[in-house]
Amino acid sequence: MLVDADEAFGNVLGEVLAGAGYDIRQVFKPESAIGELNCDQTDVILLNLDSSPNAIDSCRELLHGAAERISAPPIISFGWRKQFKAALELFHDGAVDFLQQPLDIQELRFAIDRACRRAELARELAAAQRILISNRVDGLLGNSKQMMRI
């Protein structure tokens, strides 16, 4: 998912990344992205820090909304140099990467690949945790009486 107010940029980015096998869905404000989080097709969120006038507060809300999901999609933020301080603050709130504009397409692809791997690992971990909880076997490492006391 791309969160960016510039529709033309989203169209160009969508065409460029489609060649690498990515399908980009664009929303124009972080507030709109929060509503889209329930869609299980969101593997990664690309977040333009300049996407709205009160962008940092909106971005924080998006980060917190994403973090509430069982397998939260990684968020890659991007912006101009003046956004470094804001990007650092967003790292503390859960963003996984920051790219400086103008975007280098190869660097963006690498960042998306890393984030997609991270999202896949998070989904696998969540699935393994569900299996472990639903298939409780006494004496299995991690759920024996002794381990439960610890």
Side-chain angles (χ1 to χ4, degrees):
M1 178 188 315
L2 171 65
V3 181
D4 195 316
D6 186 350
E7 185 173 4
F9 174 75
N11 291 336
V12 170
L13 189 61
E15 288 179 24
V16 169
L17 292 177
Y22 298 111
D23 182 30
I24 303 294
R25 184 176 73 248
Q26 183 175 7
V27 295
F28 302 104
K29 297 178 184 177
E31 299 87 356
S32 302
I34 294 170
E36 297 279 327
L37 284 175
N38 293 330
C39 176
D40 287 336
Q41 297 177 358
T42 301
D43 292 322
V44 177
I45 298 174
L46 301 174
L47 176 62
N48 185 345
L49 297 182
D50 299 318
S51 58
S52 69
N54 58 344
I56 298 305
D57 292 333
S58 299
C59 292
R60 277 198 175 106
E61 289 177 28
L62 175 57
L63 283 161
H64 293 168
E68 291 174 359
R69 289 185 58 195
I70 292 173
S71 56
I75 297 180
I76 301 170
S77 60
F78 62 93
W80 299 97
R81 187 162 189 74
K82 64 182 179 183
Q83 297 289 352
F84 277 155
K85 182 178 178 190
L88 182 61
E89 291 174 13
L90 293 177
F91 273 117
H92 292 279
D93 291 329
V96 299
D97 210 341
F98 173 78
L99 303 175
Q100 183 176 343
Q101 286 183 295
L103 293 175
D104 176 286
I105 295 302
Q106 191 63 33
E107 183 181 5
L108 178 60
R109 285 181 182 163
F110 286 143
I112 292 172
D113 286 343
R114 283 190 309 269
C116 284
R117 281 194 303 273
R118 181 184 181 123
E120 180 61 29
L121 289 172
R123 281 192 296 273
E124 289 176 11
L125 177 61
Q129 288 172 333
R130 284 191 300 272
I131 290 171
L132 182 63
I133 290 170
S134 66
N135 296 324
R136 191 171 186 91
V137 177
D138 285 333
L140 182 67
L141 181 64
N143 69 359
S144 65
K145 288 181 183 178
Q146 294 83 1
M147 290 302 288
M148 296 303 273
R149 280 187 299 182
I150 294 175

